[in-house]
Amino acid sequence: MIFAVFLPLIAALFVFAAALLKKKSFAWEIGTAAVALAFFKIVSMAFRNFFRGKVYNAFLLPFLRLGEVEYTWRLHLERTEIFLVVFIVFSALMSLLFVRDFLPTPRMNRFVVFLLALVSFLMIGVGGDNLFQFFTGWDISVMLAYMLLMLFHEKQAVRQSGINFLIWHMLTDVPLFCAFYMLVEKTGTFFIPPFIGQWFTAFQGGQAIAFSLLLLLGVSAKLFLFGTNIMITQTAGISVPALAFIAPAALGGLGVYALYICFPLVEAEPTVRVIFTAWGILTAVGGLM
C-alpha cells in the first residue's frame, strides 16, 4: 500500500530534481511507469479486499498530540477508499497516455510532476483516519490541480483567476471546519468516526440540520468555484482527459467522500434527508446547465 501511494510522489520528486539540474529525465516514461505500477498494486489490493475482506492500515509518522489523544499520519483503506484510489490512479494513467502527443516538450516535465504529486496527495487525503490529514491532502491536491490547469493558459487574466480561486477555496473551508468542530464536540476527537451504530444518530433536530447545511455549503461552494473560474471558452487548449481528471478528483471527489462519511451521523432525521435530496437535485440541474 505504501509503495502504491508514494511511488508516484517519488517519481515526481525525481523528475523535478532532474529538471532543476537540467538533466534529461524522460519525464513521461517515468511518470507513466510509476502510475502504471501503482495502478496494478492498487487493483491487487482491491481484489484481496473484495474476496478476503482485507483492510489496509499503515503507520507513517507521528503528527500531533492533543490532551490524551495522539494523531498520526497513516493510511487506512477499506472498500470505499480502495475504490476511490483505483479511480484516481486509473484516471491519472489515462491522462498520461493521452497527453503525450498533445503537450509540447517544455511543458511535459511540469505536467508530469504536478500530476504525480496530485495523485499521491489525493490518496493521502482519502487514506486519512483523522480530519487533519484529510484536509491536508484535499487542500494540497487543489493547489496542485490548479498548477496543472495553469500550464495551459497564457492569459494573465486566467492566471489571476486561478489565484483568486485558491484564496476562495481556502475560505470555503470555514463552514467545513465549523461542521467538523460540531463533530469533535460529539465524538471528543478529530478521528473520522467509524460506521457503527452509536454514531448513526449523533445529531438530532436543529443540530442535525445545522451540521448538514454547513457540510453541504462547504462542499458545494468548492464545486461552484471551479465553474466560475475556469469557463468553457478558456479550456479549449486543455487536454480533455486531464481536465476531466483534475476537476472531479481534486475538487469534487473528496467532497463527495466527505458527504459519504458524514451522512450516517444525520441520516436518522427526515428533514436532513429532504435537504440532501433537494440539494442534490439543484446540483444536478446546475451541472447540466
Side-chain angles (χ1 to χ4, degrees):
M1 175 176 61
I2 294 177
F3 169 84
V5 173
F6 287 102
L7 181 61
L9 187 59
I10 293 170
L13 293 173
F14 176 81
V15 173
F16 176 76
L20 197 64
L21 298 173
K22 302 188 184 303
K23 303 289 185 181
K24 189 175 179 69
S25 62
F26 301 100
W28 183 87
E29 290 80 1
I30 293 172
T32 304
V35 174
L37 288 172
F39 175 69
F40 287 119
K41 175 63 176 177
I42 292 294
V43 169
S44 70
M45 290 167 53
F47 275 104
R48 284 195 290 271
N49 174 266
F50 182 80
F51 290 106
R52 302 178 187 174
K54 184 173 176 59
V55 174
Y56 294 88
N57 192 16
F59 170 81
L60 299 178
L61 290 170
F63 172 49
L64 178 68
R65 188 175 186 87
L66 292 176
E68 299 299 318
V69 182
E70 184 176 7
Y71 300 93
T72 61
W73 294 105
R74 65 171 56 247
L75 295 171
H76 181 82
L77 301 178
E78 298 185 27
R79 181 161 299 179
T80 302
E81 290 80 5
I82 291 174
F83 172 80
L84 283 174
V85 169
V86 168
F87 166 75
I88 289 167
V89 180
F90 177 76
S91 300
L93 182 59
M94 292 300 100
S95 297
L96 283 166
L97 292 176
F98 178 88
V99 82
R100 185 179 191 183
D101 297 324
F102 178 84
L103 265 185
T105 303
R107 293 184 180 181
M108 182 59 77
N109 279 32
R110 286 182 291 165
F111 180 86
V112 171
V113 168
F114 294 154
L115 185 67
L116 294 180
L118 172 60
V119 169
S120 288
F121 278 102
L122 281 172
M123 290 191 285
I124 288 170
V126 169
D129 68 344
N130 63 79
L131 299 174
F132 296 113
Q133 183 175 332
F134 176 79
F135 274 104
T136 299
W138 194 358
D139 284 331
I140 293 179
S141 297
V142 169
M143 180 183 68
L144 291 166
Y146 255 74
M147 291 170 75
L148 264 174
L149 292 178
M150 289 302 106
L151 287 177
F152 298 91
H153 297 303
E154 300 297 339
K155 295 180 181 179
Q156 186 62 32
V158 178
R159 294 183 179 276
Q160 185 60 45
S161 177
I163 295 172
N164 292 339
F165 173 87
L166 289 175
I167 295 172
W168 283 104
H169 184 277
M170 297 301 175
L171 291 177
T172 58
D173 278 338
V174 173
L176 288 175
F177 285 146
C178 291
F180 287 119
Y181 177 78
M182 293 178 66
L183 184 57
V184 171
E185 288 289 300
K186 285 289 182 182
T187 64
T189 71
F190 285 96
F191 286 110
I192 296 173
F195 283 2
I196 55 178
Q198 73 181 88
W199 299 121
F200 283 0
T201 56
F203 293 101
Q204 297 178 348
Q207 279 191 330
I209 294 173
F211 178 77
S212 61
L213 287 176
L214 287 170
L215 196 65
L216 288 167
L217 179 62
V219 171
S220 301
K222 293 180 186 297
L223 293 173
F224 177 74
L225 281 172
F226 181 82
T228 57
N229 282 273
I230 298 294
M231 309 305 293
I232 297 300
T233 56
Q234 296 172 340
T235 60
I238 300 179
S239 61
V240 175
L243 180 63
F245 166 63
I246 294 164
L251 307 181
L254 292 189
V256 172
Y257 179 65
L259 297 178
Y260 168 76
I261 61 177
C262 290
F263 182 69
L265 304 172
V266 291
E267 68 175 340
E269 289 292 323
T271 304
V272 169
R273 292 200 298 271
V274 171
I275 292 173
F276 267 82
T277 302
W279 210 294
I281 293 172
L282 290 173
T283 303
V285 172
L288 290 173
M289 292 176 63

